[in-house]
Amino acid sequence: MRIKKRQRDVVQVETGAGQSVALHFVWAAGLAAAAIAVGDVLHRPFGSAVSILLSLLAVAGAGRIGGFWPAMLALTIAFPADWFLYFKFTRSFATDAPGTILGLGLFLLGGVAISYGAGEARRSAASRRYTDHLFRRMLTDAPFPIMLHSEDGTVFGISDTWSELSGYSVDEIATVEDWVRRAYPEREATMLAYIRNLYSDKEGRVESGERTIETASGELRIWSFRSSALGR
């Protein structure tokens, strides 16, 4: 049951806010239709180039919302519409207007490139969210006390085991200074200087040995500390 729960958590991360995939396609169609309508109005004073640019922006917007396939839907709607509205097709079209053929080809190629780029960007963002989610779950659910903090003393996270054994929540020890003040009330300056000195060792692992800490309840516990720099 625990594994199934985590799988549901990951699915939630991958889908962002749980937004329906169908809604992405609705947005894509809406953006394409809006670009066509606005482009038709602006076409008269500014020419077809502005209309085509709006269509490409609609493709980019659809890609940003839903990725590759919604962007391709927007392109599939916008490209034939722009062709029909702004270019007249005749038997001698290819020979009479080679520049137009080239422009339409670039429009189509640009639309496909934008769709592909949007899809890759969306997959990359989803991968980063997934990796961040897994990392935080590993940190939180670790079976032993772990604290992750930066050189300026900001605590990025602690494991649940750290909170359970020490009695301090992550809100109570938002910085290393907060932790030292609570865990070593009589040796605060000494321990803080020692921890700051650990930052000079950028490689490898440092065995700090056993230290006596004071828990939130006032109980004294002996912890064996080990530090390791994750790099920049």
Side-chain angles (χ1 to χ4, degrees):
M1 293 300 294
R2 188 173 180 82
I3 294 177
K4 290 182 179 179
K5 181 179 184 299
R6 291 190 178 185
Q7 288 176 340
R8 287 197 297 272
D9 290 342
V10 171
V11 170
Q12 180 68 17
V13 170
E14 290 180 330
T15 56
Q19 196 174 30
S20 171
V21 174
L23 188 58
H24 295 163
F25 289 95
V26 172
W27 272 104
L31 286 173
I36 294 169
V38 175
D40 189 40
V41 174
L42 297 180
H43 164 255
R44 296 176 180 84
F46 299 109
S48 59
V50 174
S51 304
I52 292 175
L53 177 61
L54 286 173
S55 295
L56 288 176
L57 289 175
V59 173
R64 184 174 181 82
I65 293 172
F68 177 76
W69 290 112
M72 286 299 295
L73 173 63
L75 179 63
T76 302
I77 295 172
F79 180 76
D82 287 346
W83 182 306
F84 176 77
L85 290 172
Y86 311 124
F87 306 104
K88 294 182 178 179
F89 183 78
T90 63
R91 292 183 179 180
S92 59
F93 179 77
T95 57
D96 293 342
T100 301
I101 291 290
L102 178 61
L104 287 171
L106 291 175
F107 174 27
L108 183 61
L109 182 62
V112 173
I114 290 173
S115 301
Y116 179 79
E120 288 299 305
R122 187 172 177 81
R123 279 191 291 271
S124 177
S127 177
R128 287 195 298 271
R129 290 195 301 270
Y130 175 72
T131 302
D132 181 67
H133 173 78
L134 288 183
F135 179 79
R136 291 188 178 277
R137 287 303 299 265
M138 287 189 295
L139 173 64
T140 302
D141 295 342
F144 39 81
I146 296 180
M147 173 187 286
L148 181 65
H149 60 86
S150 63
E151 288 191 32
D152 64 5
T154 301
V155 175
F156 294 129
I158 60 175
S159 63
D160 288 344
T161 306
W162 186 294
S163 295
E164 292 167 2
L165 295 180
S166 69
Y168 302 115
S169 68
V170 67
D171 294 329
E172 294 176 296
I173 49 175
T175 65
V176 172
E177 288 80 359
D178 293 336
W179 162 251
V180 170
R181 185 172 60 254
R182 287 172 167 80
Y184 310 100
E186 298 179 359
R187 295 169 292 156
E188 180 179 346
T190 302
M191 291 307 302
L192 191 57
Y194 174 78
I195 292 174
R196 287 173 175 169
N197 187 58
L198 292 174
Y199 297 130
S200 60
D201 188 356
K202 302 298 183 183
E203 301 293 337
R205 189 169 60 188
V206 177
E207 298 286 350
S208 299
E210 294 184 346
R211 306 280 182 180
T212 301
I213 69 164
E214 183 175 318
T215 67
S217 63
E219 179 186 0
L220 297 181
R221 284 179 175 268
I222 298 177
W223 282 14
S224 179
F225 285 90
R226 177 182 299 168
S227 303
S228 180
L230 297 180
R232 296 181 182 274

